[in-house]
């Protein structure tokens, strides 16, 4: 395809082509040489390659010569052609744009991505005509007194400077004043200026210039006035400035002038409707293009996809592309030889459709509603349509998952990436681990971490911190619920995966063993903790002492206590309380007194908890008198007894055949506003009946309701399975796991 541009000038222009690959634009530089006689310049632009041929010659000799630059090799050409040039010969489709000023020449840019300009010959981004700012000879400038370059010089128009003056016009009269000495400039000049007003959102300036052109049309009896390109440019200003209210008036003007829409007009209308949020109307415009016998351009299809994007209608966009693809494959699109490279445009539209679908799914994820199922289903629909998301899109979509109810989506996205691609971003993996933990799917998070170790990429510090935090939560849950078996198993898994448990993790398992009265397991875990180089803390010793006390391994507990003091670990109130309970069970009350005195000396507050431990030890070992004595000592110290104090003392007295004293303590607790358990009530009643004691049941009041027993020791792991999201396929716990030895090397 060859485009010819004849024009009457006094300059010889030799452009050469430069390709800017980063911007995918063609850039041409033209060196300008002056000559004295009028000549004709013809510009030949080849659609293939990056060259431009500029021919010029003497008016008396029809000899045309020039250079073709920008092709594989420079070429020289000679042609003969009649010299009948005048301003009116300027062809509407220029096909190239002037954007920036050069030194000694002019920079010319052509946007090769603009399809509508090539199809309809519409000038979209021209900022200068006839190589504005080309240099005149010194002699000619001096004759005109133009040393700095004016707006117009012997057929040369500086569109940029003219536009700057026109944008200051407030009325049609101002426009006339500016243009009074310029005659009827080519309409391409005003089309370019209006396009420039659109980029700067100057709707008022564009309308004033348009009104002047309408006035000129009346004055010239219709020979000079707005044409299709002017109207299209004006609609473009409406779109870019956002002043959509002007659209109807412009369309009415077009109808009055008998201007028929072209594809560019329809595309601009679609863009306006999309910007206004009236996407249904935009889609109707596409149908109108077909009805009017026009062929939609790639921009038309892109605007339709953009309309579906604004409506967040992913299914609509997907179905639209599938239908377009079928027509393309049947050669129903691009068969008319419209100059488009439809193979290239098809690839662009396919990529744009994928991007639109991605954006719609992202909108679904950030909406307040839980549309996770919609996203999962749409991913499958895209797969079935043969346009799945790329790895980059899948990862970006994973980043959009931030709420707990997104865990299903992020897991599905993670699995897709793993199955379809060799690589995955570590940051995405860390995000998946974080979100799984937030959604309380800790076991699934652990599986992602295992994938990092087995398949890569290598986990970093953030991966480690995230997974350790999940282990800590699970270990805390195991500690809180007394699920010691899973505490042990979690420690083993940490070691297997190269994660070094700290004192916090070891202590959590020790406390779980203590709550479950698993003294043997507690001893083994304590040994492993020391063997792994972790220094036990007071919490470690306290949990071990508690487990040994519950297992009645008093001698072992004393050895642990002495070792703790030897290594310099200072006891706390909890450790002292356990030792007081141990000495009470042994009947060594002198040591109990020593423990209490040592606590007072060290400034450790002796609370009702310590006294309750002593009274409980007395009650469980049949020492009701000693229990009653420690109750009085508690009162002497002005420490208020609580429900546990009374219940354990009443139980001890009732079992020792002292129902009257048990009865008195029950009524005292009731008068103090304490609510005792049904077990204490039954102990008083049953002891009175067994020993023939007479009590006033009315003073006892109604029997309290049975309290639900708090189960701390879990005989099964069902609850933990549900808590951690552990697969039920996990093997049963083997006690040999307590003495776990790490068999896998750390990564």
């Amino acid at each position: 395809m060859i485009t010819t541009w004849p024009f009457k000038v006094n300059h010889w222009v030799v452009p050469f082509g430069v390709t800017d690959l980063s911007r995918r634009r063609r850039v041409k530089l033209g060196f300008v040489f002056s000559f004295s006689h009028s000549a004709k310049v013809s510009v030949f632009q080849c659609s293939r390659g990056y060259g431009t041929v500029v021919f010029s010659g003497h008016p008396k000799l029809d000899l045309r010569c020039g250079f073709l630059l920008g092709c594989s090799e420079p070429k020289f050409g000679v042609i003969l052609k009649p010299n009948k040039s005048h301003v009116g010969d300027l062809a509407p489709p220029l096909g190239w744009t002037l954007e920036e000023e050069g030194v000694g020449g002019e920079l010319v840019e052509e946007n090769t991505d603009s399809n509508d300009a090539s199809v309809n010959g519409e000038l979209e981004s021209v900022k200068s005509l006839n190589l504005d700012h080309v240099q005149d000879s010194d002699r000619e400038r001096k004759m005109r007194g133009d040393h700095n370059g004016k707006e117009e010089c012997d057929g040369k128009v500086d569109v940029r400077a003219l536009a700057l003056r026109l944008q200051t016009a407030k009325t049609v009269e101002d426009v006339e004043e500016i243009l009074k000495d310029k005659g009827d400039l080519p309409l391409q000049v005003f089309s370019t200026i209006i396009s420039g007003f659109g980029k700067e959102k100057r709707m008022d300036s564009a309308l004033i210039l348009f009104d002047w052109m309408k006035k000129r049309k009346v004055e010239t009896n219709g020979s000079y006035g707005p044409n299709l390109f002017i109207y299209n440019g004006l609609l473009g200003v409406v779109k870019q400035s956002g002043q959509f209210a002007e659209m109807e008036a412009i369309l009415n003007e077009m109808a009055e002038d008998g201007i028929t829409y072209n594809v560019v007009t329809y595309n601009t209308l679609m863009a306006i409707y999309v910007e206004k949020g009236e996407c249904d109307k935009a889609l109707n415009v596409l149908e109108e293009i077909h009805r009017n016998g026009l062929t939609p351009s790639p921009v038309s299809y892109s605007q339709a996809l953009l309309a579906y994007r604004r409506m967040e209608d992913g299914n609509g966009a997907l179905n639209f592309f599938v239908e377009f693809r079928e027509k393309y494959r049947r050669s129903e699109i691009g068969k008319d030889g419209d100059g488009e490279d439809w193979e290239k445009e098809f690839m662009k539209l396919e990529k744009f459709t994928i991007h639109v679908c991605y954006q719609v799914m992202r909108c679904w994820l950030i909406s307040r509603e839980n549309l996770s199922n919609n996203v999962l289903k749409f991913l499958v629909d895209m797969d079935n349509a043969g346009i799945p998301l790329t790895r980059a899109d899948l990862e970006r979509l994973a980043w959009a998952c931030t709420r707990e109810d997104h865990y299903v989506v992020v897991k599905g996205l993670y699995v897709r990436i793993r199955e379809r691609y060799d690589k995955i971003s570590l940051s995405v993996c860390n995000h998946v681990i974080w979100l799984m933990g937030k959604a309380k799917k800790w076991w699934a998070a652990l599986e992602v971490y295992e994938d990092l170790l087995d398949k890569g990429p290598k986990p970093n510090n953030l991966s480690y911190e995230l997974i350790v935090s999940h282990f800590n939560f699970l270990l805390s849950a195991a500690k809180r619920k007394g699920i010691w078996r899973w505490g042990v198993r979690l420690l083993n898994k940490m070691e297997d995966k190269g994660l070094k448990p700290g004192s916090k993790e070891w202590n959590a398992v020790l406390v779980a063993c203590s709550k479950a009265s698993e003294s043997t397991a507690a001893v083994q875990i304590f040994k492993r903790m020391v063997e792994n180089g972790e220094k036990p803390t007071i919490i470690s010793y306290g949990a071990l002492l508690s487990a040994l006390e519950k297992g009645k391994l008093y001698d072992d507990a004393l050895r642990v206590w002495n070792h703790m003091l030897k290594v310099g670990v200072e006891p706390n109130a909890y450790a002292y309380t356990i030792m007081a309970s141990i000495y009470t069970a042994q009947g060594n009350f002198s040591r109990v007194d020593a423990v209490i005195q040592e606590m007072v000396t060290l400034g450790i507050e002796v609370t009702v908890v310590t006294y309750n431990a002593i009274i409980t030890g007395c009650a469980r070992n049949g020492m009701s008198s000693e229990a009653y004595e420690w109750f009085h000592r508690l009162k002497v110290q002005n420490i208020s007894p609580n429900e546990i104090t009374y219940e354990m003392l009443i139980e001890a007295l009732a079992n020792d055949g002292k129902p009257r004293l048990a009865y008195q303590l029950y009524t005292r607790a009731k008068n103090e506003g304490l609510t005792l358990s049904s077990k204490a009530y039954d102990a008083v009643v049953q002891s009175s009946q067994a020993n023939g004691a007479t009590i006033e049941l009315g003073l006892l009041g109604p029997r309290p309701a049975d309290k639900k027993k708090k189960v701390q020791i879990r005989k099964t792991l069902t609850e933990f399975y549900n808590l951690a999201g552990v697969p039920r396929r996990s093997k049963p716990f083997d006690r040999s796991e307590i003495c776990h030895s790490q068999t896998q090397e750390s990564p």
Side-chain angles (χ1 to χ4, degrees), residues 350-361:
E350 183 178 68
K351 292 180 180 179
F352 187 53
T353 302
I354 294 174
H355 187 64
V356 166
C357 292
Y358 154 75
Q359 288 187 322
V360 170
M361 285 188 285

Side-chain angles (χ1 to χ4, degrees), residues 103-329:
V103 178
E106 187 62 35
L107 179 64
V108 183
E109 292 189 9
E110 179 179 10
N111 188 343
T112 59
D113 292 334
S114 177
N115 297 307
D116 290 340
S118 61
V119 173
N120 305 286
E122 179 178 2
L123 198 61
E124 294 188 353
S125 60
V126 181
K127 288 189 174 65
S128 180
L129 257 177
N130 188 23
L131 300 179
D132 58 308
H133 279 158
V134 295
Q135 294 180 348
D136 295 324
S137 66
D138 292 338
R139 174 174 172 272
E140 290 172 340
R141 285 198 298 269
K142 290 178 180 178
M143 287 177 62
R144 293 190 301 266
D146 181 14
H147 299 283
N148 299 319
K150 296 183 179 180
E151 295 172 5
E152 182 179 3
C153 179
D154 194 16
K156 179 167 65 74
V157 179
D158 185 341
V159 180
R160 190 188 304 273
L162 182 59
L164 290 174
R165 292 194 61 190
L166 286 173
Q167 73 183 25
T168 63
K170 303 300 182 182
T171 63
V172 172
E173 289 72 20
D174 294 340
V175 175
E176 288 182 341
E177 180 65 23
I178 294 171
L179 300 175
K180 64 181 180 180
D181 297 329
K182 294 180 173 51
D184 289 336
L185 295 175
L187 293 179
Q188 284 80 3
V189 173
F190 300 112
S191 176
T192 301
I193 292 174
I194 290 175
S195 297
F197 287 160
K199 292 179 181 179
E200 297 181 3
K201 298 180 173 54
R202 295 182 178 276
M203 188 75 240
D204 292 339
S205 298
L207 289 176
I208 292 172
L209 180 57
F210 177 70
D211 290 339
W212 174 83
M213 296 182 71
K214 289 194 298 181
K215 180 180 179 182
R216 286 293 299 147
K217 182 178 180 180
V218 175
E219 293 172 351
T220 60
N221 295 322
S223 63
Y224 187 89
N227 60 9
L228 175 61
F229 304 123
I230 297 295
Y231 278 108
N232 284 345
L234 203 57
L235 289 172
V237 179
V238 171
K239 188 261 182 185
Q240 292 173 300
S241 65
Q243 298 189 31
F244 306 123
E246 304 291 343
M247 182 184 69
E248 292 299 329
I250 295 172
L251 294 179
N252 291 335
E253 293 281 355
M254 290 183 70
E256 292 178 4
D257 288 348
I259 303 294
T260 304
Y261 298 176
N262 65 359
V263 175
V264 176
T265 312
Y266 285 115
N267 290 346
T268 308
L269 291 177
M270 291 180 71
I272 291 174
Y273 284 129
V274 170
E275 289 292 328
K276 291 175 64 177
E278 299 176 353
C279 298
D280 290 332
K281 291 184 178 180
L283 297 176
N284 291 336
V285 171
L286 180 62
E287 296 298 324
E288 188 175 344
I289 294 176
H290 290 289
R291 288 195 301 268
N292 291 337
L294 297 175
T295 301
S297 69
V299 175
S300 310
Y301 295 111
S302 299
Q303 287 294 341
L305 288 170
L306 189 57
Y308 285 113
R309 158 67 183 87
R310 293 294 175 87
M311 292 189 293
E312 297 184 9
D313 185 1
N315 292 294
L318 185 61
N319 294 334
F320 177 83
F321 175 77
V322 170
E323 182 179 351
F324 165 79
R325 184 177 59 187
E326 292 302 317
K327 292 181 179 179
Y328 173 75
R329 290 175 176 175

Side-chain angles (χ1 to χ4, degrees), residues 374-544:
N374 296 31
V375 175
L376 293 175
K377 182 179 181 301
F378 193 57
L379 286 171
V380 175
D381 291 340
M382 291 187 68
D383 291 340
N384 295 335
I387 52 170
L389 290 180
T390 63
R391 173 194 153 193
D393 288 333
L394 289 171
E395 291 187 346
R396 283 196 293 266
L397 207 57
W399 279 108
C401 298
T402 55
R403 299 201 309 258
E404 295 180 14
D405 51 22
H406 290 159
Y407 80 91
V408 178
V409 176
V410 81
K411 183 177 181 181
L413 294 171
Y414 173 79
V415 171
R416 281 171 180 267
I417 298 173
R418 281 292 189 188
E419 290 178 349
R420 300 179 184 186
Y421 301 97
D422 296 333
K423 296 181 180 180
I424 185 173
S425 170
L426 176 59
S427 61
V428 171
C429 294
N430 288 341
H431 180 71
V432 174
I433 293 173
W434 169 80
L435 186 60
M436 288 298 182
K438 184 178 182 180
K440 301 179 181 179
K441 303 297 177 182
W442 294 281
W443 205 254
L446 298 184
E447 290 177 344
V448 175
Y449 186 80
E450 290 178 352
D451 285 343
L452 291 179
L453 297 176
D454 299 338
K455 305 175 184 178
K458 184 179 179 180
N460 59 9
N461 290 336
L462 179 59
S463 315
Y464 177 87
E465 292 172 2
L466 286 170
I467 208 65
V468 168
S469 69
H470 294 342
F471 270 112
N472 281 331
F473 185 91
L474 294 176
L475 287 168
S476 298
K479 175 184 72 174
R480 186 172 60 253
K481 297 177 180 297
I483 311 175
W484 67 276
R485 294 180 178 87
W486 261 104
V488 172
R489 183 166 287 182
L490 287 168
L491 282 179
N492 296 343
K493 182 171 281 292
M494 287 186 72
E495 291 184 325
D496 289 342
K497 300 307 176 184
L499 301 173
K500 181 178 174 58
S503 60
K504 183 178 181 180
E505 290 76 38
W506 290 108
N507 290 342
V509 180
L510 283 171
V511 172
C513 292
S514 172
K515 286 191 173 184
S517 301
E518 286 287 340
S519 55
T520 302
V523 171
Q524 292 297 331
I525 294 300
F526 189 88
K527 288 181 178 179
R528 282 179 57 187
M529 179 181 182
V530 175
E531 291 170 356
N532 279 270
E534 197 65 40
K535 184 178 180 180
T537 65
I538 185 57
I539 297 177
S540 314
Y541 282 106
L544 181 58

Side-chain angles (χ1 to χ4, degrees), residues 638-698:
N638 292 321
I639 299 175
S640 300
N642 57 18
E643 286 87 348
I644 295 176
T645 312
Y646 279 109
E647 287 177 1
M648 297 308 302
L649 184 56
I650 289 171
E651 182 181 346
L653 295 172
N655 292 337
D656 201 21
K658 300 175 181 178
R660 291 294 304 176
L661 191 54
Y663 171 76
Q664 292 174 5
L665 289 172
Y666 190 93
T667 55
R668 181 189 296 181
K670 184 180 177 183
N671 292 335
E672 291 178 2
L674 300 176
T675 302
L676 303 184
S677 65
S678 58
K679 185 178 180 180
Y681 181 93
D682 293 340
V684 173
V685 173
Q686 291 172 6
S687 179
S688 299
Q689 293 174 349
N691 293 280
T694 302
I695 60 174
E696 183 64 43
L697 291 177

Side-chain angles (χ1 to χ4, degrees), residues 630-746:
W630 279 98
F631 176 77
H632 277 291
R633 293 180 63 171
L634 176 147
K635 299 289 288 184
V636 170
Q637 296 296 326
N638 292 321
I639 299 175
S640 300
N642 57 18
E643 286 87 348
I644 295 176
T645 312
Y646 279 109
E647 287 177 1
M648 297 308 302
L649 184 56
I650 289 171
E651 182 181 346
L653 295 172
N655 292 337
D656 201 21
K658 300 175 181 178
R660 291 294 304 176
L661 191 54
Y663 171 76
Q664 292 174 5
L665 289 172
Y666 190 93
T667 55
R668 181 189 296 181
K670 184 180 177 183
N671 292 335
E672 291 178 2
L674 300 176
T675 302
L676 303 184
S677 65
S678 58
K679 185 178 180 180
Y681 181 93
D682 293 340
V684 173
V685 173
Q686 291 172 6
S687 179
S688 299
Q689 293 174 349
N691 293 280
T694 302
I695 60 174
E696 183 64 43
L697 291 177
L699 295 178
L700 289 179
R703 181 180 183 275
D706 294 329
K707 293 182 179 180
K708 293 183 179 180
K709 187 177 181 180
K710 294 182 179 180
V711 181
Q712 293 182 341
I713 303 174
R714 305 295 176 182
K715 301 300 181 182
T716 65
L717 302 177
T718 302
E719 183 173 346
F720 192 81
Y721 285 147
N722 296 334
L723 172 68
V726 181
R728 295 303 179 90
R729 62 179 180 272
S730 300
K731 62 181 181 179
F733 182 79
D734 187 341
R735 293 192 72 88
S736 64
E737 295 181 41
I738 301 174
C739 303
H740 174 74
S741 60
Q742 188 174 352
T743 58
Q744 299 185 17
E745 295 183 359
S746 300

